[in-house]
Amino acid sequence: MILRATAFLFLLALPLRAEIPIREVTSPGGVRAWLVEDHSIPFMALELRFRGGTSLDDPGRRGAVNLMTALIEEGTGDLDAQGFAAARDALAADMRFDAGTDSVSVSARMLTENREQALDLLRQAISAPRFDADSIERVRGQVLSNIASDDKDPSALAARAFDALAWGDHPYATSGEGTADSVAALTRDDLLAAHRATMARDRVYVAAAGDVTAEDLGRIIDELLAELPPAGAPLPGRADFGLAGGVTVRDFPVPQSVVLFGHQGMKRDDPDFFAAFLLNEVLGGGRFSARLMTEVREKRGLTYGIGTWLAPMDAGEVMMGQFSTDNATVAEAIEVVRAEWRRLAEGGVSDAELAAVKTYQTGSYPLRFEGNAQIARILVGMQVQGLPIDYVQNRNGYIEAVTAADVARVAASLLKPDDLHFVVVGQPEGMAAGD
């Protein structure tokens, strides 16, 4: 009965809105959190984000944070993996743990009637995971399977090659999953060290949405984090983008090559970020009318899809794009991308193009707030990025304030067609393998 009730409640979405009342809460222990109270449905979503992520792996222990995170739900206290899953399911709670390059995230949803029991289970999981030998070997096998699968995936191979070329000896240069050798060598002590390094009180961000008061949330935060260490490992230093313009080919027997390309990007806190954001939408954003979609797909039929994006990470930033094309047309497609990069850098955008992307971006923004879990994720993401608490109310205004002159100025400084580096995984005609 509880499971059916939970499924029904989770399907209920909040009204689509961007103007949600966000409140800052400080726990008695001094931890800040953002809260959106909504007592219309008796459940709450809680989001924790620990800054650092897989980039905190010790040298020679690559993949430790990723494996550790995957093992958190494999048992705690007197509960083994099956016992933990049974306890979680009996409470109709949902708990997820993920490792990213710059953070480890904990996402939880629970009914009000079971909240205290669910939070106690979550506290045990994040504070004292068991890391049983049989669980380690089972999850290690899953990770190794993923790594083996990536060895046959041209998109994954392109990403690995691009990162290795771009980021030197920084952790960004290698996959957070690790390699087959590094993951095979990880010990339980390595996982305990990764846990201490990442899940600490000095780097946690908290957000909640749903049926919880500010007073209760403060108490919940302190209880959840009480057993975590006060400080984690030092965060990695700056990652300098070290890749110059050019083409790197990795030979791989596929009829269509995967092409990943990019150059230096822009920091998230740059005053021109919104102009760059709209610039990217015009160039290669998610709409079919983006310039690269028009020129590479519609006019020339060189690909089924092409996209670009800004990637401002904690320690480095890049502007990237990707497409796939027949081995015979790789060189032509690359030249079209370079030409469009140059046309936008030198000519800016039209008023009509800018108006279209503004309409799309401002109109679609409220759709992101589709429920308590999504709201909690957005709020914790805003904190991690250093955005103000009123950002949700003002974000569309920032978009509307960007002018065509702003975009042209940013295009001239950000877009560097000669700096674009293309990593090609495939057997492109007329291109030799190598750097």
Side-chain angles (χ1 to χ4, degrees):
M1 175 64 78
I2 291 176
L3 287 172
R4 288 198 297 272
T6 303
F8 172 72
L9 292 171
F10 284 175
L11 288 173
L12 291 176
L14 292 174
L16 299 178
R17 61 194 183 188
E19 296 187 3
I20 56 175
I22 305 170
R23 178 179 178 183
E24 182 166 296
V25 174
T26 301
S27 76
V31 178
R32 292 192 310 165
W34 287 2
L35 166 66
V36 172
E37 282 191 57
D38 183 348
H39 301 287
S40 63
I41 304 174
F43 88 96
M44 120 173 147
L46 180 68
E47 193 79 15
L48 309 179
R49 196 76 55 85
F50 296 89
R51 188 183 292 278
T54 63
S55 63
L56 289 177
D57 278 335
D58 283 339
R61 298 289 184 272
R62 199 66 169 129
V65 170
N66 178 66
L67 182 60
M68 178 277 295
T69 307
L71 281 159
I72 291 177
E73 58 184 321
E74 293 289 323
T76 178
D78 59 356
L79 298 173
D80 61 10
Q82 291 184 334
F84 180 83
R88 180 193 58 207
D89 293 347
L91 293 168
D94 182 66
M95 301 175 190
R96 302 186 183 191
F97 311 92
D98 294 298
T101 302
D102 289 329
S103 65
V104 169
S105 62
V106 178
S107 306
R109 296 184 293 178
M110 58 204 71
L111 292 166
T112 301
E113 65 184 274
N114 299 328
R115 188 174 71 196
E116 297 307 315
Q117 300 99 310
L119 287 168
D120 188 58
L121 185 64
L122 180 62
R123 176 190 59 77
Q124 294 182 61
I126 64 175
S127 301
R130 286 174 39 144
F131 300 139
D132 290 338
D134 58 341
S135 293
I136 291 174
E137 293 312 312
R138 178 164 43 80
V139 178
R140 189 201 309 270
Q142 295 167 356
V143 173
L144 291 173
S145 177
N146 292 338
I147 292 172
S149 178
D150 285 347
D151 289 341
K152 302 174 184 177
D153 180 352
S155 294
L157 293 173
R160 286 185 194 171
F162 188 93
D163 288 343
L165 292 165
W167 301 116
D169 57 0
H170 193 274
Y172 287 175
T174 56
S175 169
E177 281 196 322
T179 66
D181 289 342
S182 70
V183 173
L186 292 173
T187 66
R188 184 174 186 275
D189 285 343
D190 294 327
L191 303 179
L192 291 170
H195 183 259
R196 290 192 299 270
T198 53
M199 304 189 77
R201 295 200 299 273
D202 68 332
R203 59 199 56 207
V204 67
Y205 300 83
V206 184
D211 188 22
V212 60
T213 65
E215 182 180 6
D216 282 345
L217 180 59
R219 173 184 56 79
I220 288 168
I221 292 169
D222 285 348
E223 291 176 356
L224 266 181
L225 305 179
E227 297 170 56
L228 294 179
L235 296 171
R238 175 75 182 168
D240 294 323
F241 187 84
L243 193 53
V247 178
T248 297
V249 177
R250 295 284 189 259
D251 183 78
F252 195 71
V254 287
Q256 280 210 338
S257 293
V258 170
V259 183
L260 188 66
F261 56 95
H263 61 39
Q264 181 77 47
M266 176 180 283
K267 294 180 180 179
R268 180 60 184 83
D269 61 358
D270 191 296
D272 281 328
F273 185 82
F274 277 103
F277 176 69
L278 296 178
L279 166 70
N280 176 68
E281 282 297 313
V282 171
L283 178 61
R287 301 163 309 116
F288 265 93
S289 56
R291 286 193 184 185
L292 288 177
M293 283 289 281
T294 300
E295 296 296 329
V296 183
R297 173 190 159 113
E298 299 301 322
K299 290 185 178 178
R300 297 172 178 82
L302 299 176
T303 185
Y304 289 110
I306 181 170
T308 60
W309 60 92
L310 293 162
M313 299 179 287
D314 281 0
E317 50 284 331
V318 61
M319 183 171 185
M320 301 188 68
Q322 182 170 344
F323 64 90
S324 298
T325 189
D326 190 276
N327 283 326
T329 56
V330 172
E332 179 184 0
I334 285 176
E335 286 311 306
V336 175
V337 170
R338 275 205 186 101
E340 287 306 308
W341 221 264
R342 192 179 307 281
R343 183 164 74 95
L344 191 45
E346 296 175 352
V349 300
S350 69
D351 290 337
E353 285 177 311
L354 184 58
V357 297
K358 284 183 176 180
T359 297
Y360 172 70
Q361 285 296 331
T362 56
S364 62
Y365 187 57
L367 301 178
R368 301 181 188 181
F369 300 84
E370 60 183 5
N372 286 335
Q374 184 65 8
I375 290 173
R377 279 193 292 272
I378 291 173
L379 298 193
V380 85
M382 288 166 55
Q383 294 175 71
V384 171
Q385 294 178 61
L387 299 175
I389 199 168
D390 61 356
Y391 174 81
V392 173
Q393 284 72 37
N394 297 324
R395 182 263 192 188
N396 279 355
Y398 300 146
I399 295 283
E400 293 291 0
V402 175
T403 67
D406 293 331
V407 177
R409 172 175 49 79
V410 172
S413 63
L414 177 63
L415 299 182
K416 304 292 185 185
D418 295 332
D419 289 352
L420 279 174
H421 195 99
F422 296 81
V423 171
V424 182
V425 176
Q427 295 178 326
E429 294 182 9
M431 295 180 175
D435 298 340

